[in-house]
Amino acid sequence: MKVLYKEKPRTIAIYSESHSLVFQLLKGLNNSVAVELIPNEQVTREKGFRILVQREISGCLGLINVEDQVFLVVITRAVQDVASPVEYESVDRIYSVEFISLVSDEWDFVNLDSNGFPIVTAANGTQEEETSDYARSVHPCQELKKLLSNSTFYYSNNFDLTSLLQNRGIIGDRIKNGDGASVRKLAVEHYQQDYMWNSFMMEELINFRSNLEPYVQSILDDNHFLTTVIRGFAKTIRLNSSGDSISVISKQSWRRAGTRFNARGIDDNGYVANFVETEFIFNCPSQSSIFAFVQIRGSVPTFWEQDSTLINPKITLTRSLGATQPVFNKHFSDICNKYGVCHIVNLLSKTKSAEVAVLRRYKELYTQSDHREETTFSEFDFHHETKPASGGFAGASKILALLHQSLEQFGWFYYDTEQGEVCTRQDGVFRTNCLDCLDRTNLIQQVISQYILEHILRNQSLNHGNSSRDRARIEDTINRHNSLWADNGDAISQIYTGTNALKSSFSRSGKMNFAGALSDVTKSVSRMYQNTFVDGKKQSTMDLLLGYDSKNSIPVQIYDPINEHVAGKLKSKAGIYTTWKDIIIFAGTYNVNALDPSFSSIDLSSWLFPPENLDLGLPDVYAIGLQEIIELNAGSILNADASKPTKWANILTDQLNSNGEQYLLLRTESMSSMSLFLFVKQSQVHNVTQVAGSSKKTGMGGMTANKGACAVRFDYGLTSFALITSHLAAGTAAVTERFNDYSTIMQGLTFTRNYTIADHDQIIWFGDLNYRISMTNDQCRSLIEHGAFDELLAVDQLNQEMTQKGAFYGFKEGRIKFYPTYKFDKGTSNYDSSEKQRVPSWTDRILFKSARGINDLKQLNYNSVMSITLSDHKPVFSTLAGKVECIDREKKTKLFKSLYDSYKSEHGNSDISLLDIDSSSTSRASNSSASSTFTIDTLSEMNILEDNSSPSQLGATKASKLPRRLPPTPSSRSQVPDSSSFPQKPIPRKLPPPFDLGQNQNPPTPPPARKTIANLMTASSESIKVPFGFSSAPLIPSRSNSTTPSKEISSTSGNTTHSESVKPMIPTKPTNLAGNKSRTSDVLSQNSFESESHRTTNVSTPTGTLHGENGANGANVNEETHKPNFGSLSDWKPLIPK
């Protein structure tokens, strides 16, 4: 494939084998992009197209908006054939990508240095020194280019890389007959979206494809325009001259992607951090067999976080057990639906304090899970079992005794290539975790995989591997296997931490020497550096790539005029799917003055359930902020008791739930001196999503946590809330310091996905703001005794700040009708009688602010509780009422589809039919264009486009801006032996769900004649033994490997009938792709582009051949001249496999 451009209007074309995919930005239409699929004969030099990228490209990754520019992302170089799980499948690794602007030519033909700056070259081609009159700027996509080019992204143009081998099936004809056998086409809707790392960039192009006619979709697919990438690891190692090989393919999910300390635990949708699906494949042509075994890993599925301090980073559980349980259940429901039964392998330490709390919560969640019948839980304290006194890391093999029964029951995928049948399928999966799911997890997964491989190898030998020759062969294979797993561990660790995995020296050699231990120390130090200085920037780049950046991730819209019309209609019918809900929020703040939460007589009920709220009912949300939960001295701050927030959370939970309504703790955000707790009614929890927390230190210039703020953000329906509790600088004269604290918190406190406080619809700020009354002590106390609050408020420092547009300008506060809340003699309601005689002040305040255009919060009451004497402050509360917007997504989607289909049925397809555009009938295309209402030419005549000189045959094809509608994830399609052939199991077996074949589709035909027990008994010495735990009689497949039927066309005397028959979708590599995935150089020569082409550049690497300009792969280059056939599309017929 080539990338071409046209200057006026700026148009970018991806030129493939038979067609080109053309992009043009429509600046007059909300910067949407027009996309057109047209035959190559319409993209010629005579029509203004020129080569833009001077090398062949391997695919398109999608469209992305960066700094208000729309970029097309293409793969410019790749390391080819890094993995080949079976003979006809190949995996390539991305080496470099290019971001091509649809807006301007500023970055066209510009060479960049390693930092993304343009390289200034002299007339003779040498690099010039930078001059003062030339201001260089970094390419806006430089960080994204570095991320996508860091050798962790993989793709394939001949099979679905997001799938498992047993799900996509084996093409027996391809194994026996090579490339001459039938080819099954890839369809993007079958891809597992969880592993599509370019899902956000590709989303609108997938929607564009879904609105095309079926065989126009086929044209798009055959030209390999849309490329899906995974992130993880893929590698194949050849074992012998017979073609035997082992492969490992690991796919990391992007759903909760992030770096080590930025992505931990689970999210509201049940996705966990560092979730990786690893498939080990043993392709054994010498024994006519293919084996595969799958394992998964993922962070502990509870809400927890870990700070990034250099020494002993502390772990915090941020959500209560009851609020976590539904999400935990959803996570394992998804796993069981996809893989069948699940065996949890937990490697957390039982003695390390940082891990004990997470381990305890994990076990509690599992105990109360509603999936216990489909899961089993095994604990293996890795550090304890692999101590030097216990044999070191070799002790990891002790875990096999715990897993033996599940290993027998789960089995593995086994395909007999000689008979062309599936003998067994894997039915169940091991889910392994430690804290990071890296070093310990990788070693245990390697041990499990090695056990499976050894069993297969012994079954293949006549004497069960007891001969010296067999032992040598098995040992050599195991050594290669271990080296492959060590590479896999390093790759996953690089993604998550920026360093190779620890313990990899043992993984490779089976020994841990001094050099290996020293290497692990070096990696640990490097990880600390990465955590502190690098991971934050990497996280921001990942969020932008995945569409998680709340400010900068703007979806690129593909123009669809029907969609524009329907969107207007949909908006006018918003009342059908939109509801407004009234909610009540209780906000409370209390400086507890280091009160010990273990104190038995702490009663906060008069504060949590004030008499003012009796007629309002119980609030939907409680936001509680506590300050000074520890003594504010150096010793206490440096050695803060991490259990204090948990103890206070338990007290608040018990007292809130004592009044008949159940509340769940959705978030605890703490730093050493303060905590913020978010409680939500159990009946309303389903409306609250995207809960996140953050904190900001302001003490001693941001170094200490004696002052600062804790914040929690969440969405209630479509309305976003930010809750902040703070403790600002103390002292009557410290007004400026308090302003600086406020500014630091407002500007520096950020949540995940780049949210700031100001980005929210509703903001509630409460805490010990420490603003004083600017008055003498005697005068102040005299006015208090007379209830002269107005005179006191006139000299209140916070009111003065807000009036003078200082701190908290724009916030609102209800009228204060309660006594100053500071400072009292502890245990009384008497103002300070100590020598300092502090001036009474309203230091504890509750403020709120609504975004412009949002319904304002209404303050229902605002008061303090004088009867609580536990501290030198009084608790303050306020009850706020607001409206939140809720959308019924299902109703909205159905209404949109109904309006869309209705418009099309009334007006017909208003775009050009792509089938009418071909080289032999230019007039037909012109007539069709003239009758079309929505071509780019027509838009130009209406002066809607910025430039009226549109390309002659470039039209806006049918491309929709539909709601977020992504290809469905296919279910697992496992086959297992009859359950009666298995030994008794401690947990019920649950088969993975059948793959949905759709309507009016029949299952595939049975496989060829199968081996029987008798045949196996009389087989030759090369026959394969049946794996343990399986019936010796192979299964008859009862489920299809695909939902995509193929069309069989039969003709009868002039009439053509179409009969649907189901054939499994088996991806393959078309014969005309040779070493490069898309050959176009000869086609381009027909259009006089060859003069601008350059010679092929091949760079040899240890793992493959670097895909250069024309993508040739050494000896794989097909020297045969490829002559394109520019026939009419009306003569086009789909390929019919023989």
Side-chain angles (χ1 to χ4, degrees), residues 607-635:
W607 175 45
L608 300 175
F609 305 106
E612 292 92 330
N613 285 353
L614 288 177
D615 296 333
L616 299 176
L618 292 173
D620 298 285
V621 176
Y622 271 90
I624 308 295
L626 301 180
Q627 304 84 41
E628 287 192 39
I629 59 176
I630 61 171
E631 293 282 353
L632 295 187
N633 55 55

Side-chain angles (χ1 to χ4, degrees), residues 578-593:
T578 304
T579 57
W580 290 90
K581 178 179 176 60
D582 294 318
I583 66 168
I584 296 176
I585 300 174
F586 177 98
T589 177
Y590 192 15
N591 184 320
V592 297
N593 192 26

Side-chain angles (χ1 to χ4, degrees), residues 499-679:
T499 72
N500 285 349
L502 307 183
K503 308 175 181 64
S504 58
S505 175
F506 178 83
S507 297
R508 294 181 190 279
S509 63
K511 300 176 183 178
M512 193 64 178
N513 51 28
F514 177 76
L518 186 61
S519 174
D520 284 356
V521 173
T522 305
K523 293 171 189 174
S524 297
V525 174
S526 178
R527 285 184 180 183
M528 287 168 34
Y529 173 82
Q530 292 277 338
N531 300 337
T532 308
F533 301 107
V534 179
D535 282 356
K537 190 173 185 179
K538 286 169 62 178
Q539 184 69 51
S540 298
T541 305
M542 270 190 277
D543 288 345
L544 180 61
L545 175 72
L546 299 173
Y548 284 158
D549 191 316
S550 63
K551 292 183 177 179
N552 302 315
S553 294
I554 304 172
V556 177
Q557 302 293 340
I558 293 180
Y559 179 67
D560 179 6
I562 302 179
N563 186 71
E564 298 293 327
H565 169 82
V566 172
K569 291 285 188 182
L570 190 68
K571 189 174 182 179
S572 66
K573 298 178 180 292
I576 297 176
Y577 54 84
T578 304
T579 57
W580 290 90
K581 178 179 176 60
D582 294 318
I583 66 168
I584 296 176
I585 300 174
F586 177 98
T589 177
Y590 192 15
N591 184 320
V592 297
N593 192 26
L595 176 66
D596 185 359
S598 302
F599 190 52
S600 59
S601 60
I602 297 178
D603 183 8
L604 303 176
S605 58
S606 58
W607 175 45
L608 300 175
F609 305 106
E612 292 92 330
N613 285 353
L614 288 177
D615 296 333
L616 299 176
L618 292 173
D620 298 285
V621 176
Y622 271 90
I624 308 295
L626 301 180
Q627 304 84 41
E628 287 192 39
I629 59 176
I630 61 171
E631 293 282 353
L632 295 187
N633 55 55
S636 297
I637 292 173
L638 292 176
N639 301 288
D641 184 357
S643 66
K644 286 286 185 73
T646 303
K647 292 177 180 178
W648 279 110
N650 292 336
I651 291 172
L652 293 170
T653 300
D654 292 341
Q655 298 195 20
L656 285 174
N657 291 335
S658 65
N659 218 15
E661 182 75 49
Q662 290 297 304
Y663 285 89
L664 298 180
L665 177 61
L666 290 194
R667 177 75 191 197
T668 301
E669 182 62 30
S670 301
M671 56 189 200
S672 56
S673 64
M674 71 187 77
S675 293
L676 175 58
F677 306 93
L678 171 66
F679 290 90

Side-chain angles (χ1 to χ4, degrees), residues 336 340-342 366-367 369-376 985-990:
C336 293
V341 292
C342 175
Y366 174 74
T367 302
S369 172
D370 54 11
H371 288 283
R372 291 198 61 185
E373 292 186 355
E374 303 157 281
T375 58
T376 190
K985 299 181 291 294
I987 53 176
R989 293 171 62 82
K990 178 183 176 183

Side-chain angles (χ1 to χ4, degrees), residues 786-823:
H786 291 85
F789 290 174
D790 290 343
E791 288 82 351
L792 293 173
L793 289 170
V795 290
D796 174 73
Q797 292 176 349
L798 178 56
N799 285 337
Q800 292 173 343
E801 278 283 282
M802 295 168 68
T803 303
Q804 296 168 9
K805 298 185 178 180
F808 296 99
Y809 174 70
F811 280 83
K812 297 179 181 179
E813 183 183 25
R815 184 174 178 84
I816 295 179
K817 299 179 181 180
F818 50 88
Y819 288 98
T821 57
Y822 173 84
K823 174 182 182 178

Side-chain angles (χ1 to χ4, degrees), residues 1000-1130:
N1000 301 323
Q1001 298 186 34
N1002 300 316
T1005 56
R1010 298 171 287 120
K1011 298 175 183 178
T1012 65
I1013 299 177
N1015 290 337
L1016 289 172
M1017 296 295 291
T1018 59
S1020 66
S1021 60
E1022 296 183 356
S1023 63
I1024 301 174
K1025 296 182 180 180
V1026 179
F1028 68 97
F1030 288 88
S1031 168
S1032 57
L1035 295 172
I1036 298 176
S1038 60
R1039 299 170 185 165
S1040 171
N1041 286 325
S1042 172
T1043 59
T1044 305
S1046 60
K1047 292 188 177 181
E1048 294 184 356
I1049 304 176
S1050 59
S1051 302
T1052 57
S1053 62
N1055 297 327
T1056 302
T1057 60
H1058 298 267
S1059 61
E1060 301 285 346
S1061 66
V1062 177
K1063 294 181 181 295
M1065 183 189 71
I1066 304 179
T1068 186
K1069 181 175 181 179
T1071 56
N1072 62 343
L1073 291 186
N1076 179 28
K1077 298 301 178 287
S1078 309
R1079 293 194 50 171
T1080 57
S1081 56
D1082 293 323
V1083 179
L1084 288 171
S1085 66
Q1086 299 293 325
N1087 290 325
S1088 304
F1089 287 134
E1090 73 278 2
S1091 61
E1092 300 185 32
S1093 302
H1094 292 262
R1095 280 185 251 176
T1096 301
T1097 303
N1098 289 329
V1099 182
S1100 297
T1101 69
T1103 55
T1105 302
L1106 191 60
H1107 176 180
E1109 256 180 48
N1110 61 10
N1113 184 11
N1116 292 333
V1117 178
N1118 187 352
E1119 300 294 344
E1120 205 175 308
T1121 304
H1122 177 68
K1123 297 181 180 179
N1125 179 14
F1126 294 112
S1128 169
L1129 277 178
S1130 61

